[in-house]
């Protein structure tokens, strides 16, 4: 069977429970057609780069799918019909990520602070006097 990543964007006015129900519906479609959803990640309510159907934000959800191609066609057909989903994209991948996706790791870094594990700037010691650069002639 082939491996896929399916990401969909749900309308901003939906509650988190409704977004979870959409993910469950997608999972059920895949499992009814002899496929398997290996991971579901909810990336949360995020701003869009531009308005889509009068929405400035959207709930992002990613599914890792292990299924034959016909299952993906049925999933995309059902996704198109749903009015709560404003965009979706399915990509065939060579292998699925084992841990959290890049989007989830990005959120973890943001929680640590702007400088991460490096600490505040004032902890640096004195670096000594500056070296003067050799001045090159103006014609070169």
């Amino acid at each position: 069977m082939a491996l896929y990543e399916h990401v969909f964007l749900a309308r901003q006015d939906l509650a988190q429970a409704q977004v979870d129900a959409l993910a469950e519906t997608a999972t059920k479609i895949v499992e009814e057609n002899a496929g398997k959803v290996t991971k579901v990640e909810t990336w949360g309510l995020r701003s869009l780069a531009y308005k889509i159907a009068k929405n400035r934000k959207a709930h992002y959800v990613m599914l890792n799918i292990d299924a034959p191609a016909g299952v993906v066609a049925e999933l995309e057909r059902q996704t198109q019909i749903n009015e709560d989903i404003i965009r979706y994209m399915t990509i065939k991948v060579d292998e699925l990520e084992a841990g959290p996706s890049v989007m989830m790791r990005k959120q973890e870094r943001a929680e640590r602070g702007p400088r991460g594990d490096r600490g505040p700037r004032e902890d640096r010691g004195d670096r000594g006097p500056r070296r003067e650069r050799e001045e090159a002639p103006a014609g070169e």
Side-chain angles (χ1 to χ4, degrees):
M1 288 196 276
L3 304 173
Y4 299 92
E5 286 185 0
H6 177 76
V7 178
F8 66 87
L9 281 60
R11 292 181 323 167
Q12 65 186 359
D13 57 345
L14 297 178
Q16 187 61 44
Q18 292 171 305
V19 175
D20 294 341
L22 288 172
E24 281 295 319
T25 303
T27 302
K28 189 184 300 182
I29 291 168
V30 171
E31 290 175 351
E32 286 175 354
N33 292 300
K36 185 171 67 170
V37 174
T38 58
K39 179 170 61 170
V40 178
E41 282 187 0
T42 304
W43 296 341
L45 185 66
R46 303 178 61 86
S47 296
L48 298 171
Y50 54 89
K51 275 186 174 180
I52 301 174
K54 299 183 181 178
N55 290 289
R56 292 184 183 275
K57 294 184 176 195
H59 293 274
Y60 285 65
V61 179
M62 184 192 71
L63 306 169
N64 282 350
I65 300 171
D66 184 6
V71 175
V72 173
E74 176 63 18
L75 176 62
E76 288 184 345
R77 187 184 76 77
Q78 293 284 343
T79 302
Q80 276 181 322
I81 294 171
N82 196 329
E83 293 176 354
D84 291 332
I85 298 176
I86 56 177
R87 286 283 192 277
Y88 68 91
M89 182 169 60
T90 307
I91 299 174
K92 185 174 182 180
V93 294
D94 294 330
E95 61 182 89
L96 298 172
E97 287 187 55
S101 68
V102 174
M103 294 299 288
M104 296 303 283
R105 290 192 300 256
K106 185 176 174 183
Q107 288 175 355
E108 291 171 8
R109 279 197 310 263
E111 291 171 0
R112 282 188 268 170
R115 294 198 39 90
D117 295 330
R118 296 180 291 171
R121 283 183 168 261
E122 61 266 7
D123 288 350
R124 286 198 300 199
D126 185 22
R127 296 189 300 184
R130 287 186 164 192
R131 277 189 325 178
E132 295 298 322
R133 292 188 331 181
E134 293 181 27
E135 292 186 22
E140 293 181 53

